[in-house]
PDB file of all heavy atoms in Angstrom:
ATOM      1  N   ALA A   1     100.852 111.311  96.113  1.00  0.00           N
ATOM      2  CA  ALA A   1     101.615 112.594  96.279  1.00  0.00           C
ATOM      3  C   ALA A   1     100.779 113.732  96.906  1.00  0.00           C
ATOM      4  O   ALA A   1     101.332 114.516  97.673  1.00  0.00           O
ATOM      5  CB  ALA A   1     102.143 113.041  94.886  1.00  0.00           C
ATOM      6  N   THR A   2      99.441 113.696  96.620  1.00  0.00           N
ATOM      7  CA  THR A   2      98.622 114.785  97.119  1.00  0.00           C
ATOM      8  C   THR A   2      97.939 114.445  98.443  1.00  0.00           C
ATOM      9  O   THR A   2      97.288 115.305  99.060  1.00  0.00           O
ATOM     10  CB  THR A   2      97.563 115.195  96.019  1.00  0.00           C
ATOM     11  OG1 THR A   2      96.763 114.034  95.770  1.00  0.00           O
ATOM     12  CG2 THR A   2      98.211 115.698  94.818  1.00  0.00           C
ATOM     13  N   GLY A   3      97.984 113.075  98.786  1.00  0.00           N
ATOM     14  CA  GLY A   3      97.378 112.714 100.117  1.00  0.00           C
ATOM     15  C   GLY A   3      95.861 112.620 100.029  1.00  0.00           C
ATOM     16  O   GLY A   3      95.191 113.174 100.905  1.00  0.00           O
ATOM     17  N   SER A   4      95.291 111.994  98.996  1.00  0.00           N
ATOM     18  CA  SER A   4      93.893 111.894  98.824  1.00  0.00           C
ATOM     19  C   SER A   4      93.260 111.026  99.983  1.00  0.00           C
ATOM     20  O   SER A   4      93.905 110.111 100.477  1.00  0.00           O
ATOM     21  CB  SER A   4      93.541 111.279  97.498  1.00  0.00           C
ATOM     22  OG  SER A   4      92.185 111.002  97.343  1.00  0.00           O
ATOM     23  N   SER A   5      91.996 111.359 100.273  1.00  0.00           N
ATOM     24  CA  SER A   5      91.355 110.586 101.350  1.00  0.00           C
ATOM     25  C   SER A   5      90.831 109.250 100.914  1.00  0.00           C
ATOM     26  O   SER A   5      90.451 108.419 101.749  1.00  0.00           O
ATOM     27  CB  SER A   5      90.135 111.418 101.881  1.00  0.00           C
ATOM     28  OG  SER A   5      89.223 111.652 100.824  1.00  0.00           O
ATOM     29  N   SER A   6      90.775 108.951  99.611  1.00  0.00           N
ATOM     30  CA  SER A   6      90.230 107.630  99.144  1.00  0.00           C
ATOM     31  C   SER A   6      91.310 106.752  98.606  1.00  0.00           C
ATOM     32  O   SER A   6      91.087 105.949  97.757  1.00  0.00           O
ATOM     33  CB  SER A   6      89.230 107.924  98.026  1.00  0.00           C
ATOM     34  OG  SER A   6      89.833 108.626  96.940  1.00  0.00           O
ATOM     35  N   LEU A   7      92.531 106.873  99.195  1.00  0.00           N
ATOM     36  CA  LEU A   7      93.679 106.093  98.751  1.00  0.00           C
ATOM     37  C   LEU A   7      93.415 104.541  98.911  1.00  0.00           C
ATOM     38  O   LEU A   7      93.766 103.811  97.973  1.00  0.00           O
ATOM     39  CB  LEU A   7      94.949 106.451  99.498  1.00  0.00           C
ATOM     40  CG  LEU A   7      95.753 107.639  98.991  1.00  0.00           C
ATOM     41  CD1 LEU A   7      96.912 107.943  99.951  1.00  0.00           C
ATOM     42  CD2 LEU A   7      96.208 107.396  97.561  1.00  0.00           C
ATOM     43  N   GLY A   8      92.887 104.131  99.994  1.00  0.00           N
ATOM     44  CA  GLY A   8      92.628 102.710 100.231  1.00  0.00           C
ATOM     45  C   GLY A   8      91.692 102.124  99.156  1.00  0.00           C
ATOM     46  O   GLY A   8      91.946 101.027  98.623  1.00  0.00           O
ATOM     47  N   PHE A   9      90.601 102.814  98.931  1.00  0.00           N
ATOM     48  CA  PHE A   9      89.654 102.304  97.938  1.00  0.00           C
ATOM     49  C   PHE A   9      90.281 102.289  96.545  1.00  0.00           C
ATOM     50  O   PHE A   9      90.122 101.302  95.822  1.00  0.00           O
ATOM     51  CB  PHE A   9      88.402 103.274  97.957  1.00  0.00           C
ATOM     52  CG  PHE A   9      87.362 102.934  96.905  1.00  0.00           C
ATOM     53  CD1 PHE A   9      86.626 101.823  97.039  1.00  0.00           C
ATOM     54  CD2 PHE A   9      87.246 103.766  95.759  1.00  0.00           C
ATOM     55  CE1 PHE A   9      85.649 101.527  96.000  1.00  0.00           C
ATOM     56  CE2 PHE A   9      86.319 103.484  94.812  1.00  0.00           C
ATOM     57  CZ  PHE A   9      85.523 102.338  94.938  1.00  0.00           C
ATOM     58  N   SER A  10      90.940 103.361  96.180  1.00  0.00           N
ATOM     59  CA  SER A  10      91.571 103.432  94.809  1.00  0.00           C
ATOM     60  C   SER A  10      92.612 102.376  94.699  1.00  0.00           C
ATOM     61  O   SER A  10      92.726 101.733  93.622  1.00  0.00           O
ATOM     62  CB  SER A  10      92.189 104.817  94.604  1.00  0.00           C
ATOM     63  OG  SER A  10      91.223 105.828  94.640  1.00  0.00           O
ATOM     64  N   PHE A  11      93.439 102.127  95.736  1.00  0.00           N
ATOM     65  CA  PHE A  11      94.478 101.083  95.690  1.00  0.00           C
ATOM     66  C   PHE A  11      93.876  99.680  95.413  1.00  0.00           C
ATOM     67  O   PHE A  11      94.349  98.941  94.561  1.00  0.00           O
ATOM     68  CB  PHE A  11      95.298 101.076  96.990  1.00  0.00           C
ATOM     69  CG  PHE A  11      96.289  99.993  97.037  1.00  0.00           C
ATOM     70  CD1 PHE A  11      97.455 100.064  96.338  1.00  0.00           C
ATOM     71  CD2 PHE A  11      96.051  98.804  97.828  1.00  0.00           C
ATOM     72  CE1 PHE A  11      98.391  98.984  96.385  1.00  0.00           C
ATOM     73  CE2 PHE A  11      96.914  97.763  97.868  1.00  0.00           C
ATOM     74  CZ  PHE A  11      98.114  97.916  97.103  1.00  0.00           C
ATOM     75  N   GLN A  12      92.769  99.376  96.099  1.00  0.00           N
ATOM     76  CA  GLN A  12      92.128  98.073  95.895  1.00  0.00           C
ATOM     77  C   GLN A  12      91.554  97.924  94.492  1.00  0.00           C
ATOM     78  O   GLN A  12      91.716  96.874  93.831  1.00  0.00           O
ATOM     79  CB  GLN A  12      91.016  97.901  96.945  1.00  0.00           C
ATOM     80  CG  GLN A  12      91.544  97.755  98.360  1.00  0.00           C
ATOM     81  CD  GLN A  12      90.400  97.618  99.357  1.00  0.00           C
ATOM     82  OE1 GLN A  12      89.884  96.456  99.438  1.00  0.00           O
ATOM     83  NE2 GLN A  12      89.983  98.667 100.020  1.00  0.00           N
ATOM     84  N   ILE A  13      90.958  98.990  93.962  1.00  0.00           N
ATOM     85  CA  ILE A  13      90.452  98.972  92.618  1.00  0.00           C
ATOM     86  C   ILE A  13      91.584  98.692  91.597  1.00  0.00           C
ATOM     87  O   ILE A  13      91.509  97.828  90.735  1.00  0.00           O
ATOM     88  CB  ILE A  13      89.685 100.223  92.276  1.00  0.00           C
ATOM     89  CG1 ILE A  13      88.390 100.399  93.108  1.00  0.00           C
ATOM     90  CG2 ILE A  13      89.391 100.307  90.743  1.00  0.00           C
ATOM     91  CD1 ILE A  13      87.325  99.398  92.751  1.00  0.00           C
ATOM     92  N   VAL A  14      92.669  99.455  91.782  1.00  0.00           N
ATOM     93  CA  VAL A  14      93.816  99.299  90.870  1.00  0.00           C
ATOM     94  C   VAL A  14      94.403  97.951  90.901  1.00  0.00           C
ATOM     95  O   VAL A  14      94.717  97.235  89.974  1.00  0.00           O
ATOM     96  CB  VAL A  14      94.886 100.403  91.163  1.00  0.00           C
ATOM     97  CG1 VAL A  14      96.207 100.052  90.426  1.00  0.00           C
ATOM     98  CG2 VAL A  14      94.454 101.741  90.850  1.00  0.00           C
ATOM     99  N   LEU A  15      94.527  97.403  92.147  1.00  0.00           N
ATOM    100  CA  LEU A  15      95.083  96.041  92.426  1.00  0.00           C
ATOM    101  C   LEU A  15      94.255  95.021  91.684  1.00  0.00           C
ATOM    102  O   LEU A  15      94.786  94.132  91.006  1.00  0.00           O
ATOM    103  CB  LEU A  15      95.137  95.744  93.904  1.00  0.00           C
ATOM    104  CG  LEU A  15      95.776  94.481  94.326  1.00  0.00           C
ATOM    105  CD1 LEU A  15      97.297  94.466  93.961  1.00  0.00           C
ATOM    106  CD2 LEU A  15      95.608  94.195  95.794  1.00  0.00           C
ATOM    107  N   TRP A  16      92.928  95.041  91.838  1.00  0.00           N
ATOM    108  CA  TRP A  16      92.058  94.059  91.224  1.00  0.00           C
ATOM    109  C   TRP A  16      91.969  94.233  89.688  1.00  0.00           C
ATOM    110  O   TRP A  16      91.677  93.262  88.938  1.00  0.00           O
ATOM    111  CB  TRP A  16      90.716  94.037  91.843  1.00  0.00           C
ATOM    112  CG  TRP A  16      90.720  93.330  93.222  1.00  0.00           C
ATOM    113  CD1 TRP A  16      90.761  93.989  94.460  1.00  0.00           C
ATOM    114  CD2 TRP A  16      90.858  91.979  93.471  1.00  0.00           C
ATOM    115  NE1 TRP A  16      90.884  93.057  95.472  1.00  0.00           N
ATOM    116  CE2 TRP A  16      90.889  91.782  94.938  1.00  0.00           C
ATOM    117  CE3 TRP A  16      90.936  90.830  92.681  1.00  0.00           C
ATOM    118  CZ2 TRP A  16      91.017  90.565  95.511  1.00  0.00           C
ATOM    119  CZ3 TRP A  16      91.011  89.526  93.230  1.00  0.00           C
ATOM    120  CH2 TRP A  16      91.059  89.454  94.627  1.00  0.00           C
ATOM    121  N   LEU A  17      92.144  95.423  89.224  1.00  0.00           N
ATOM    122  CA  LEU A  17      92.163  95.628  87.782  1.00  0.00           C
ATOM    123  C   LEU A  17      93.374  94.896  87.146  1.00  0.00           C
ATOM    124  O   LEU A  17      93.275  94.217  86.116  1.00  0.00           O
ATOM    125  CB  LEU A  17      92.250  97.101  87.438  1.00  0.00           C
ATOM    126  CG  LEU A  17      90.952  97.952  87.599  1.00  0.00           C
ATOM    127  CD1 LEU A  17      91.222  99.435  87.337  1.00  0.00           C
ATOM    128  CD2 LEU A  17      89.856  97.426  86.648  1.00  0.00           C
ATOM    129  N   TRP A  18      94.520  95.018  87.804  1.00  0.00           N
ATOM    130  CA  TRP A  18      95.697  94.295  87.291  1.00  0.00           C
ATOM    131  C   TRP A  18      95.540  92.805  87.497  1.00  0.00           C
ATOM    132  O   TRP A  18      96.031  92.006  86.645  1.00  0.00           O
ATOM    133  CB  TRP A  18      96.969  94.795  88.040  1.00  0.00           C
ATOM    134  CG  TRP A  18      97.476  96.110  87.557  1.00  0.00           C
ATOM    135  CD1 TRP A  18      97.541  97.317  88.165  1.00  0.00           C
ATOM    136  CD2 TRP A  18      97.990  96.384  86.243  1.00  0.00           C
ATOM    137  NE1 TRP A  18      98.079  98.322  87.395  1.00  0.00           N
ATOM    138  CE2 TRP A  18      98.302  97.712  86.126  1.00  0.00           C
ATOM    139  CE3 TRP A  18      98.148  95.586  85.034  1.00  0.00           C
ATOM    140  CZ2 TRP A  18      98.830  98.354  84.975  1.00  0.00           C
ATOM    141  CZ3 TRP A  18      98.614  96.172  83.882  1.00  0.00           C
ATOM    142  CH2 TRP A  18      98.976  97.563  83.909  1.00  0.00           C
ATOM    143  N   PHE A  19      94.921  92.393  88.595  1.00  0.00           N
ATOM    144  CA  PHE A  19      94.633  90.927  88.756  1.00  0.00           C
ATOM    145  C   PHE A  19      93.791  90.407  87.608  1.00  0.00           C
ATOM    146  O   PHE A  19      93.985  89.263  87.154  1.00  0.00           O
ATOM    147  CB  PHE A  19      93.963  90.705  90.081  1.00  0.00           C
ATOM    148  CG  PHE A  19      94.929  90.588  91.270  1.00  0.00           C
ATOM    149  CD1 PHE A  19      94.451  90.780  92.554  1.00  0.00           C
ATOM    150  CD2 PHE A  19      96.272  90.314  91.114  1.00  0.00           C
ATOM    151  CE1 PHE A  19      95.370  90.697  93.608  1.00  0.00           C
ATOM    152  CE2 PHE A  19      97.127  90.220  92.138  1.00  0.00           C
ATOM    153  CZ  PHE A  19      96.664  90.369  93.410  1.00  0.00           C
ATOM    154  N   THR A  20      92.833  91.238  87.206  1.00  0.00           N
ATOM    155  CA  THR A  20      91.925  90.841  86.093  1.00  0.00           C
ATOM    156  C   THR A  20      92.775  90.556  84.818  1.00  0.00           C
ATOM    157  O   THR A  20      92.559  89.536  84.135  1.00  0.00           O
ATOM    158  CB  THR A  20      90.860  91.895  85.803  1.00  0.00           C
ATOM    159  OG1 THR A  20      90.159  92.179  86.941  1.00  0.00           O
ATOM    160  CG2 THR A  20      89.972  91.495  84.623  1.00  0.00           C
ATOM    161  N   VAL A  21      93.665  91.459  84.514  1.00  0.00           N
ATOM    162  CA  VAL A  21      94.585  91.261  83.385  1.00  0.00           C
ATOM    163  C   VAL A  21      95.460  90.033  83.555  1.00  0.00           C
ATOM    164  O   VAL A  21      95.627  89.202  82.597  1.00  0.00           O
ATOM    165  CB  VAL A  21      95.454  92.530  83.148  1.00  0.00           C
ATOM    166  CG1 VAL A  21      96.348  92.300  81.947  1.00  0.00           C
ATOM    167  CG2 VAL A  21      94.565  93.761  82.909  1.00  0.00           C
ATOM    168  N   LEU A  22      96.015  89.928  84.741  1.00  0.00           N
ATOM    169  CA  LEU A  22      96.953  88.791  84.992  1.00  0.00           C
ATOM    170  C   LEU A  22      96.247  87.447  84.949  1.00  0.00           C
ATOM    171  O   LEU A  22      96.766  86.465  84.412  1.00  0.00           O
ATOM    172  CB  LEU A  22      97.624  88.952  86.385  1.00  0.00           C
ATOM    173  CG  LEU A  22      98.742  90.011  86.393  1.00  0.00           C
ATOM    174  CD1 LEU A  22      99.152  90.241  87.857  1.00  0.00           C
ATOM    175  CD2 LEU A  22      99.912  89.595  85.540  1.00  0.00           C
ATOM    176  N   PHE A  23      94.985  87.353  85.470  1.00  0.00           N
ATOM    177  CA  PHE A  23      94.263  86.127  85.453  1.00  0.00           C
ATOM    178  C   PHE A  23      93.906  85.751  83.989  1.00  0.00           C
ATOM    179  O   PHE A  23      93.890  84.555  83.656  1.00  0.00           O
ATOM    180  CB  PHE A  23      92.975  86.312  86.274  1.00  0.00           C
ATOM    181  CG  PHE A  23      93.249  86.402  87.775  1.00  0.00           C
ATOM    182  CD1 PHE A  23      92.285  86.933  88.578  1.00  0.00           C
ATOM    183  CD2 PHE A  23      94.414  85.984  88.320  1.00  0.00           C
ATOM    184  CE1 PHE A  23      92.444  87.034  89.943  1.00  0.00           C
ATOM    185  CE2 PHE A  23      94.662  86.100  89.721  1.00  0.00           C
ATOM    186  CZ  PHE A  23      93.616  86.603  90.492  1.00  0.00           C
ATOM    187  N   ALA A  24      93.609  86.739  83.146  1.00  0.00           N
ATOM    188  CA  ALA A  24      93.339  86.435  81.731  1.00  0.00           C
ATOM    189  C   ALA A  24      94.635  85.892  81.088  1.00  0.00           C
ATOM    190  O   ALA A  24      94.525  84.851  80.354  1.00  0.00           O
ATOM    191  CB  ALA A  24      92.870  87.709  81.010  1.00  0.00           C
ATOM    192  N   ASN A  25      95.768  86.522  81.403  1.00  0.00           N
ATOM    193  CA  ASN A  25      97.030  86.020  80.841  1.00  0.00           C
ATOM    194  C   ASN A  25      97.319  84.641  81.362  1.00  0.00           C
ATOM    195  O   ASN A  25      97.864  83.778  80.642  1.00  0.00           O
ATOM    196  CB  ASN A  25      98.150  86.961  81.229  1.00  0.00           C
ATOM    197  CG  ASN A  25      98.088  88.286  80.536  1.00  0.00           C
ATOM    198  OD1 ASN A  25      97.360  88.458  79.549  1.00  0.00           O
ATOM    199  ND2 ASN A  25      98.872  89.286  80.961  1.00  0.00           N
ATOM    200  N   PHE A  26      96.960  84.421  82.666  1.00  0.00           N
ATOM    201  CA  PHE A  26      97.255  83.162  83.295  1.00  0.00           C
ATOM    202  C   PHE A  26      96.441  82.020  82.622  1.00  0.00           C
ATOM    203  O   PHE A  26      96.911  80.940  82.338  1.00  0.00           O
ATOM    204  CB  PHE A  26      96.898  83.217  84.757  1.00  0.00           C
ATOM    205  CG  PHE A  26      97.136  81.913  85.522  1.00  0.00           C
ATOM    206  CD1 PHE A  26      98.428  81.481  85.833  1.00  0.00           C
ATOM    207  CD2 PHE A  26      96.079  81.121  85.933  1.00  0.00           C
ATOM    208  CE1 PHE A  26      98.632  80.306  86.539  1.00  0.00           C
ATOM    209  CE2 PHE A  26      96.303  79.986  86.667  1.00  0.00           C
ATOM    210  CZ  PHE A  26      97.601  79.579  86.902  1.00  0.00           C
ATOM    211  N   ALA A  27      95.233  82.326  82.270  1.00  0.00           N
ATOM    212  CA  ALA A  27      94.376  81.293  81.584  1.00  0.00           C
ATOM    213  C   ALA A  27      95.023  80.878  80.217  1.00  0.00           C
ATOM    214  O   ALA A  27      95.081  79.719  79.949  1.00  0.00           O
ATOM    215  CB  ALA A  27      92.963  81.895  81.314  1.00  0.00           C
ATOM    216  N   GLU A  28      95.501  81.869  79.510  1.00  0.00           N
ATOM    217  CA  GLU A  28      96.120  81.560  78.213  1.00  0.00           C
ATOM    218  C   GLU A  28      97.465  80.808  78.418  1.00  0.00           C
ATOM    219  O   GLU A  28      97.816  79.860  77.668  1.00  0.00           O
ATOM    220  CB  GLU A  28      96.349  82.860  77.412  1.00  0.00           C
ATOM    221  CG  GLU A  28      96.820  82.622  76.030  1.00  0.00           C
ATOM    222  CD  GLU A  28      96.919  83.882  75.206  1.00  0.00           C
ATOM    223  OE1 GLU A  28      96.442  84.932  75.692  1.00  0.00           O
ATOM    224  OE2 GLU A  28      97.443  83.859  74.086  1.00  0.00           O
ATOM    225  N   ALA A  29      98.228  81.236  79.459  1.00  0.00           N
ATOM    226  CA  ALA A  29      99.497  80.607  79.718  1.00  0.00           C
ATOM    227  C   ALA A  29      99.315  79.178  80.155  1.00  0.00           C
ATOM    228  O   ALA A  29     100.120  78.298  79.770  1.00  0.00           O
ATOM    229  CB  ALA A  29     100.246  81.405  80.786  1.00  0.00           C
ATOM    230  N   VAL A  30      98.279  78.867  80.939  1.00  0.00           N
ATOM    231  CA  VAL A  30      97.987  77.491  81.345  1.00  0.00           C
ATOM    232  C   VAL A  30      97.673  76.640  80.093  1.00  0.00           C
ATOM    233  O   VAL A  30      98.140  75.581  79.992  1.00  0.00           O
ATOM    234  CB  VAL A  30      96.907  77.459  82.446  1.00  0.00           C
ATOM    235  CG1 VAL A  30      96.483  75.987  82.607  1.00  0.00           C
ATOM    236  CG2 VAL A  30      97.382  78.040  83.749  1.00  0.00           C
ATOM    237  N   ALA A  31      96.827  77.179  79.234  1.00  0.00           N
ATOM    238  CA  ALA A  31      96.501  76.442  78.016  1.00  0.00           C
ATOM    239  C   ALA A  31      97.683  76.146  77.201  1.00  0.00           C
ATOM    240  O   ALA A  31      97.884  75.053  76.691  1.00  0.00           O
ATOM    241  CB  ALA A  31      95.456  77.224  77.249  1.00  0.00           C
TER     242      ALA A  31
END
């Protein structure tokens, strides 16, 4: 909304944080 200059970096960090949670859930779901 404010047009920050570090959007690309922040977006990648957020994306991989959620992937970390999903991969943990995936491990349990596969088991």
Side-chain angles (χ1 to χ4, degrees):
T2 58
S4 173
S5 60
S6 59
L7 275 176
F9 175 73
S10 298
F11 174 75
Q12 291 180 79
I13 293 292
V14 170
L15 184 66
W16 284 103
L17 286 175
W18 282 115
F19 277 159
T20 302
V21 178
L22 285 171
F23 291 160
N25 290 347
F26 180 71
E28 186 174 354
V30 169

